[in-house]
Amino acid sequence: MTRLVFTLLLLAFPIISSAASGIPAVTLTTGADGEQSYTVTLQILALMTVLTLLPAALMMMTSFTRIIIVLAILRQAMGIQSTPSNQVLIGLTLFLTFFIMHPVFDNAYTNGVEPYMNDEISITTAFQNGGLPFKEFMLAQTRESDIELFAGIGGYGPMESSADVPFSLLLPSFVTSELKTAFQIGFLIFIPFLIIDLVVASVLMAMGMMMLSPMLISLPFKLMLFVLIDGWALLMGTLASSFYL
């Protein structure tokens, strides 16, 4: 968890530093090799301020979005509106996100955060090294059509390779691709439960029991189907394997 916090802090540092560069007390030092470093006071201020961006970064730059949407669609398809509760779904999503993103967090910490804490590299280099694993992960999940869409909207020039895609373009493209993928998985999950609802409704209609809610009768069959196929293990395994690392 500590590695995650330090890594996400480094990712958002340039946003805060660029906003605060107009403060008179801020000094910018250029080293012999041309690298620029900020004062320690500014770095601490930026790291403390950027804590507010951690929830957004966790949701929008990791596997969190896809997983929580799929779990919410599953609950809706089964017809149980409050079970599992929102707290349980978010907890499952967080732990599964940490499991999926562990190689990315570990790589970012090893190459970016740890050398910076040991005074081996500057904050700028630490940001670049720490953000590269996240960029590779996000590019692997993002469709080229989404990148082309936002590149056209933002007026970005031609890019020769994926390494030329900036974060400002990659972020909306990644989120859009994750939403598409989540709804595709949710559609496939919804189909078997929808079939059960249709069969139960048809049987009740044929028996003349029109006043009886089909959802009340179909719910036990849905639960039985989900348990028989070991649904939770199947769903979690499918979600974890759906990401390209």
Side-chain angles (χ1 to χ4, degrees), residues 119-150:
D119 294 328
E120 298 175 1
I121 59 177
S122 65
I123 184 66
T124 305
T125 305
F127 165 74
Q128 295 174 350
N129 295 344
L132 184 60
F134 284 88
K135 186 176 182 179
E136 293 176 349
F137 170 81
M138 294 165 68
L139 281 171
Q141 325 304 323
T142 306
R143 296 174 174 84
E144 293 184 4
S145 59
D146 294 324
I147 295 179
E148 294 174 357
L149 169 65
F150 286 98

Side-chain angles (χ1 to χ4, degrees), residues 5-21 26-28 36-51 53-54 57 61 113 116 122-128 130-131 167:
V5 173
F6 276 110
T7 302
L8 294 179
L9 286 175
L10 279 178
L11 286 175
F13 175 78
I15 302 175
I16 303 301
S17 62
S18 61
S21 59
V26 173
T27 58
L28 183 64
Q36 294 180 335
S37 60
Y38 300 90
T39 58
V40 177
T41 304
L42 176 60
Q43 295 180 24
I44 295 176
L45 175 64
L47 293 177
M48 296 299 295
T49 306
V50 82
L51 283 173
L53 301 177
L54 285 178
M61 298 176 59
V113 178
Y116 171 70
S122 65
I123 184 66
T124 305
T125 305
F127 165 74
Q128 295 174 350
F167 257 110

Side-chain angles (χ1 to χ4, degrees), residues 78 193 196 217-231:
M78 295 185 66
F193 297 110
I196 294 177
I217 305 300
S218 62
L219 180 58
F221 293 100
K222 293 179 182 179
L223 294 176
M224 181 180 65
L225 171 66
F226 197 70
V227 170
L228 289 178
I229 65 173
D230 196 9

Side-chain angles (χ1 to χ4, degrees), residues 135 139 144 146-152 155-170 173:
K135 186 176 182 179
L139 281 171
E144 293 184 4
D146 294 324
I147 295 179
E148 294 174 357
L149 169 65
F150 286 98
Y156 290 87
M159 289 165 283
E160 297 180 359
S161 63
S162 59
D164 299 330
V165 179
F167 257 110
S168 57
L169 173 60
L170 181 58
S173 304

Side-chain angles (χ1 to χ4, degrees), residues 36-212:
Q36 294 180 335
S37 60
Y38 300 90
T39 58
V40 177
T41 304
L42 176 60
Q43 295 180 24
I44 295 176
L45 175 64
L47 293 177
M48 296 299 295
T49 306
V50 82
L51 283 173
T52 58
L53 301 177
L54 285 178
L58 176 63
M59 291 187 293
M60 296 292 101
M61 298 176 59
T62 65
S63 58
F64 185 93
T65 302
R66 182 188 305 185
I67 298 172
I68 191 63
I69 291 177
V70 170
L71 292 180
I73 292 177
L74 170 66
R75 186 174 64 178
Q76 182 71 25
M78 295 185 66
I80 43 180
Q81 304 300 324
S82 58
T83 305
S85 63
N86 292 332
Q87 291 84 351
V88 174
L89 290 186
I90 293 176
L92 287 173
T93 305
L94 282 175
F95 283 111
L96 189 57
T97 298
F98 293 149
F99 171 77
I100 295 172
M101 299 295 297
H102 179 266
V104 179
F105 292 150
D106 190 66
N107 193 3
Y109 183 85
T110 302
N111 298 326
V113 178
E114 190 172 23
Y116 171 70
M117 296 178 65
N118 295 332
D119 294 328
E120 298 175 1
I121 59 177
S122 65
I123 184 66
T124 305
T125 305
F127 165 74
Q128 295 174 350
N129 295 344
L132 184 60
F134 284 88
K135 186 176 182 179
E136 293 176 349
F137 170 81
M138 294 165 68
L139 281 171
Q141 325 304 323
T142 306
R143 296 174 174 84
E144 293 184 4
S145 59
D146 294 324
I147 295 179
E148 294 174 357
L149 169 65
F150 286 98
I153 296 175
Y156 290 87
M159 289 165 283
E160 297 180 359
S161 63
S162 59
D164 299 330
V165 179
F167 257 110
S168 57
L169 173 60
L170 181 58
L171 283 172
S173 304
F174 171 74
V175 173
T176 304
S177 291
E178 286 296 282
L179 291 174
K180 289 181 181 178
T181 305
F183 276 90
Q184 289 174 353
I185 298 175
F187 171 76
L188 297 177
I189 292 175
F190 220 106
I191 290 178
F193 297 110
L194 179 61
I195 293 175
I196 294 177
D197 285 333
L198 291 175
V199 171
V200 171
S202 299
V203 172
L204 291 178
M205 184 71 68
M207 297 176 62
M209 305 174 66
M210 291 175 291
M211 300 300 294
L212 184 61

